[in-house]
Amino acid sequence: MIQSWRLDDSRQTLVLASRKDHLAEVVYWGPRLPDDEDLETLARAHAIDVTGGMLDANPELSLCPEATRSFPGQPGLVIRDASGQPFLPKFCFDSAEEDDTRLTLSFRDQSGVLRYRALFSIDPQTHVIEARAEIEATAPMHLHWLSAPVFPAPQASDEMIDFAGRWCGEFQMNRTAWSAGIRYRENRTGRTGHEHFPGLIVPCRGATNATGHAYGFHYGWSGGHRMIAEELPDGRRQVQFGHASRIETEAATRFATAPLYAMFSDDGLNGCAVAFQRHLRDRIVTFPDPARARPVHYNCWEAVYFDHNLPELKEIADRAADLGAERFVLDDGWFGDRDDDTTSLSDWEVDPRKYPEGLTPLIDHVHGLGMSFGIWFEPEMINEDSNVFRAHPDWALGGEDQILGRQQMALNMALPEVRDFLFDRIGKVLGDNDIDYIKWDHNRVLPMPDAAQTRGSYALIDQLRAAFPKVEIESCASGGGRIDFGILKRTHRVWLSDSNDAIERLRMQHNAALFLPMVVTGSHVGPRTCHTSGRTIDIRMRAWVAAQRHMGFEMDPRELTEDEVKVLTEVTAWWKDNRHWMAGADILRLDSSDPAVIAEQQLEQGGRQFVVFAGKAETSAQIAPRPLRLTRLSPDRYYRIELLNRGDAPALSRGDQAIKSEPLTLSGAYLMSHGLTLPWSFPETMWVVKGTLV
């Protein structure tokens, strides 16, 4: 007996089937099938043969593979009863609920102790499938591992792409060949982590950024995750995502995974990227005022660090406003006795030495310049040298002999009294001052992973958002250490990296665009000499890299020369003039024929206009630039192509190319098949090209 179900959008079909009332498995996932496809026949056609050295039948690669079904790979559930004994369930079909976009499958353990549910929904517009797993028990049990519903990986794939990194070096792509065994990655730092972004792309053979089949996954949880990509001896492949193992420290009767976001793409990695970007922007992030344009940021951290001085901050605000800033963010150093990073975290009261009249004089000055005001907090952290720690040392998470990070410990966010205290302190600062933005930092890993810590942090953010619904929040965790769809359900912006080095940012932003749209990705123009890399970069490159995303400044504007002021003001004005359509544009990675060039195309929904950013990160191997092919244009339509920064061409660009002197009208077919031939340029420079449908 076979039962079957399907979910469809215009691009893809997902088919699940259950044999003999066993747990269901995905028997098809790929291009849209005909509406009248016989699913029972499809499920029978999906079965693989049996030969020597195998069992007499193949165990299902189910939504939650069971050790009790002779499954030879990693199980989807590891759980123990209250006495600590392993519990090995054998699930059988119980019920199904379905409509056009949702499917819930329920299964009961034969012993009657556990119920397992797999919940799926498909978004017809974004093409994203959300999948979650839940288990309920009749008595408290200890959970070691629960995977979100398991998806098969295509056998027509030679490699998988996941993402590693470090502080100031986030979103580094790993390409790993499939082979028998598992690719196992687990983040046990207690936060999403620079090191283990919870994402996976599986391209099929021959796929590029713009062409071919690919499958994308992202696990929307901020507390550390586990990923398994496994090839079984019979050749089948499975992908599992869930919370990091053994982070549920208490026995309970109910456990659930975070959402696993998955999709199939028929136009390469960009199909995955656009689905993730649109789903995050249009379904997950909830802006207080969606109609408000993303304001140009100014953050004072790299201008003053801990040395807060009101006259100096006012002068810096004046300069930032003149450059085009629309929001001023006061960073670390405004509270307690915070003159360095050894003291005062959790004391969240304005420092009367630096601000004898409170924050009002600075806020009034900033508002008088036409800017809104934001402020920095690190709510989940505490210094030993703080009034709060001296009063409540038991509020710190972990042992007394733990290794500190940035001279600090984490607060135990699972404690209601800790959350109540933080809500009162932060709420008072927000209530007493006209503040519309929080930069919410998290500058150390946890002493041990604990799911209750993440749930406590979520609860505090949710409580603050309910009380102050007009305040936007940026997720910063020493840069990109907490970026995922779980935190972005509660926040509105991420700080991609503490590195403001435009060359490093160019590649980070390029890779992060596989998951993140422009509107949530903060990118700032840093100092002339970057404080994390020591590299000195021209203002033109710094400005245009920041203009690729949610633009801001993070330097001392008093250091700028007259020429730098002119360039930065002009680029900022251009960004403001175009942000209305770029906010909803799709960021498409271009397949550059020159490895030195990292290029993207931001295409307005509807295709009326686009902008190409072609950054040259290093010296090319050949003399002349190779043509850069564009994507997703109408082949039989024509586009007006204009090199926006043609004045940046160096003296060594000696040719008389037309694009350097006038706009060109070219067909989409030409731009996609041959491509744009750009002028010669030095390394560490950017060409910016605007295209408009004619």
Side-chain angles (χ1 to χ4, degrees):
M1 181 181 70
I2 298 176
Q3 298 181 82
S4 56
W5 306 269
R6 66 184 287 173
L7 289 170
D8 302 275
D9 61 26
S10 60
R11 175 196 291 177
Q12 65 189 329
T13 296
L14 178 73
V15 179
L16 300 101
S18 169
R19 301 169 183 268
K20 301 178 182 178
D21 283 343
H22 290 188
L23 271 175
E25 63 178 323
V26 176
V27 296
Y28 178 82
W29 184 27
R32 172 72 187 249
L33 295 176
D35 290 343
D36 59 355
E37 184 86 44
D38 188 304
L39 300 187
E40 182 175 343
T41 301
L42 186 151
R44 290 192 291 110
H46 175 74
I48 61 175
D49 200 1
V50 175
T51 185
M54 298 176 72
L55 296 171
D56 295 338
N58 291 295
E60 297 95 336
L61 201 171
S62 74
L63 299 176
C64 184
E66 300 154 284
T68 52
R69 303 285 190 188
S70 301
F71 184 71
Q74 297 296 305
L77 173 66
V78 180
I79 197 166
R80 295 177 183 268
D81 63 22
S83 68
Q85 293 299 309
F87 188 81
L88 300 173
K90 185 184 291 184
F91 290 110
C92 297
F93 178 76
D94 183 59
S95 65
E97 300 175 25
E98 59 182 317
D99 59 29
D100 289 343
T101 61
R102 296 182 183 274
L103 172 65
T104 299
L105 300 177
S106 298
F107 300 83
R108 285 190 182 275
D109 168 51
Q110 283 185 338
S111 67
V113 173
L114 282 183
R115 175 192 284 267
Y116 172 86
R117 291 190 189 90
L119 301 93
F120 296 88
S121 63
I122 191 167
D123 191 301
Q125 281 75 47
T126 67
H127 307 295
V128 169
I129 299 168
E130 293 190 22
R132 295 185 292 113
E134 301 175 350
I135 56 172
E136 291 182 359
T138 56
M141 304 190 81
H142 296 279
L143 180 68
H144 288 231
W145 164 246
L146 174 62
S147 173
V150 172
F151 285 81
Q155 296 183 55
S157 170
D158 295 319
E159 64 180 4
M160 65 191 86
I161 301 170
D162 56 28
F163 300 84
R166 56 172 174 78
W167 179 69
C168 287
E170 292 82 354
F171 283 94
Q172 299 177 20
M173 291 177 66
N174 296 318
R175 293 179 178 266
T176 305
W178 283 99
S179 61
I182 63 174
R183 169 76 167 163
Y184 179 109
R185 298 193 67 192
E186 185 162 27
N187 170 16
R188 302 194 62 79
T189 66
R191 64 181 186 184
T192 318
H194 309 271
E195 307 85 359
H196 304 280
F197 177 76
L200 178 70
I201 307 289
V202 183
C204 291
R205 187 171 298 124
T208 68
N209 285 323
T211 62
H213 289 186
Y215 295 79
F217 303 88
H218 170 69
Y219 190 63
W221 167 250
S222 309
H225 77 284
R226 174 179 173 182
M227 182 201 85
I228 293 170
E230 180 176 29
E231 181 173 308
L232 303 176
D234 57 36
R236 291 179 295 172
R237 294 164 174 172
Q238 67 163 328
V239 172
Q240 294 187 10
F241 273 94
H243 292 13
S245 58
R246 303 184 307 281
I247 66 171
E248 297 289 357
T249 59
E250 302 292 333
T253 58
R254 183 184 183 278
F255 299 97
T257 69
L260 175 62
Y261 302 91
M263 84 288 300
F264 161 76
S265 163
D266 57 6
D267 57 352
L269 274 62
N270 283 337
C272 298
V274 170
F276 280 130
Q277 291 168 24
R278 292 185 179 185
H279 198 76
L280 178 62
R281 182 188 63 230
D282 301 338
R283 301 291 188 266
I284 294 176
V285 177
T286 53
F287 291 104
D289 182 2
R292 180 188 184 188
R294 297 291 82 212
V296 177
H297 258 55
Y298 176 76
N299 184 291
C300 71
W301 175 243
E302 294 190 36
V304 300
Y305 296 100
F306 297 103
D307 186 16
H308 288 211
N309 174 282
L310 186 57
E312 188 175 27
L313 286 168
K314 287 182 176 180
E315 181 187 3
I316 289 170
D318 291 342
R319 300 285 186 96
D322 288 343
L323 292 168
E326 297 164 308
R327 173 184 283 148
F328 182 97
V329 180
L330 185 67
D331 213 286
D332 194 355
W334 57 268
F335 56 93
D337 295 314
R338 186 75 166 172
D339 295 330
D340 56 38
D341 63 6
T342 67
T343 181
S344 300
L345 282 179
S346 73
D347 283 345
W348 309 122
E349 294 175 320
V350 177
D351 183 352
R353 302 171 305 153
K354 300 175 182 176
Y355 299 96
E357 299 178 67
L359 297 175
T360 300
L362 179 58
I363 293 174
D364 287 348
H365 184 78
V366 166
H367 287 167
L369 296 169
M371 295 188 288
S372 63
F373 189 84
I375 196 165
W376 181 94
F377 286 97
E378 194 172 5
E380 295 139 291
M381 299 296 156
I382 188 169
N383 288 122
E384 289 180 298
D385 182 11
S386 67
N387 294 331
V388 173
F389 183 84
R390 284 184 281 272
H392 301 283
D394 55 309
W395 284 4
L397 183 68
E400 295 179 0
D401 61 346
Q402 66 179 275
I403 298 172
L404 301 182
R406 203 178 184 236
Q407 309 296 321
Q408 64 197 50
M409 295 182 288
L411 285 165
N412 187 346
M413 298 299 293
L415 299 176
E417 58 268 32
V418 169
R419 298 197 300 271
D420 290 344
F421 165 80
L422 290 171
F423 177 80
D424 290 343
R425 282 287 175 94
I426 297 170
K428 179 171 174 49
V429 175
L430 298 179
D432 290 349
N433 299 281
D434 190 356
I435 293 171
D436 81 337
Y437 189 84
I438 294 174
K439 179 181 177 182
W440 187 300
D441 219 333
H442 189 294
N443 275 307
R444 66 154 291 171
V445 300
L446 300 185
M448 71 281 196
D450 184 350
Q453 180 77 6
T454 304
R455 288 192 289 266
S457 295
Y458 282 173
L460 175 61
I461 299 172
D462 291 345
Q463 186 181 11
L464 284 165
R465 282 200 61 188
F468 301 95
K470 295 184 179 180
V471 174
E472 293 187 14
I473 302 175
E474 174 186 284
S475 175
C476 174
S478 55
R482 186 159 60 181
I483 296 175
D484 61 81
F485 287 15
I487 198 67
L488 278 162
K489 187 176 181 181
R490 297 160 171 87
T491 59
H492 311 90
R493 190 180 197 252
V494 295
W495 185 230
L496 197 62
S497 176
D498 275 347
S499 173
N500 271 326
D501 182 307
I503 307 304
E504 295 174 347
R505 275 277 180 157
L506 179 68
R507 188 175 298 278
M508 283 183 218
Q509 292 176 179
H510 190 64
N511 293 341
L514 285 166
F515 301 91
L516 304 177
M518 180 274 266
V519 289
V520 305
T521 309
S523 187
H524 295 174
V525 180
R528 188 180 304 117
T529 301
C530 177
H531 81 282
T532 57
S533 70
R535 187 185 276 124
T536 300
I537 302 173
D538 185 83
I539 188 63
R540 291 160 180 81
M541 184 66 171
R542 286 183 279 149
W544 283 118
V545 168
Q548 289 182 284
R549 300 296 183 265
H550 183 187
M551 188 176 188
F553 321 135
E554 191 159 348
M555 94 293 272
D556 188 338
R558 297 170 299 181
E559 80 166 20
L560 298 173
T561 65
E562 188 174 319
D563 177 64
E564 289 173 330
V565 168
K566 179 176 181 295
V567 170
L568 185 51
T569 303
E570 290 175 351
V571 174
T572 302
W574 176 87
W575 189 83
K576 287 181 176 181
D577 288 343
N578 289 272
R579 62 183 165 185
H580 62 286
W581 70 265
M582 290 172 63
D586 298 325
I587 304 173
L588 306 170
R589 291 159 50 101
L590 295 179
D591 291 312
S592 173
S593 301
D594 183 351
V597 175
I598 299 171
E600 71 179 31
Q601 174 185 330
Q602 297 192 20
L603 179 65
E604 183 182 38
Q605 290 196 42
R608 189 177 65 87
Q609 59 186 322
F610 63 85
V611 61
V612 172
F613 296 94
K616 192 171 183 181
E618 56 192 9
T619 302
S620 298
Q622 75 290 336
I623 294 176
R626 299 187 190 279
L628 181 64
R629 288 178 298 162
L630 308 189
T631 189
R632 291 198 179 192
L633 304 180
S634 298
D636 56 349
R637 301 292 297 274
Y638 286 87
Y639 296 84
R640 181 181 185 273
I641 303 300
E642 181 179 7
L643 185 62
L644 296 181
N645 57 337
R646 66 171 72 100
D648 294 345
L652 286 177
S653 174
R654 298 184 295 141
D656 58 354
Q657 286 178 283
I659 198 170
K660 289 197 294 185
S661 58
E662 60 182 338
L664 306 175
T665 299
L666 297 166
S667 69
Y670 175 85
L671 293 168
M672 291 190 291
S673 59
H674 179 273
L676 276 175
T677 302
L678 294 168
W680 185 90
S681 61
F682 285 115
E684 302 185 0
T685 58
M686 174 95 76
W687 289 125
V688 184
V689 178
K690 181 73 181 294
T692 307
L693 196 62
V694 297

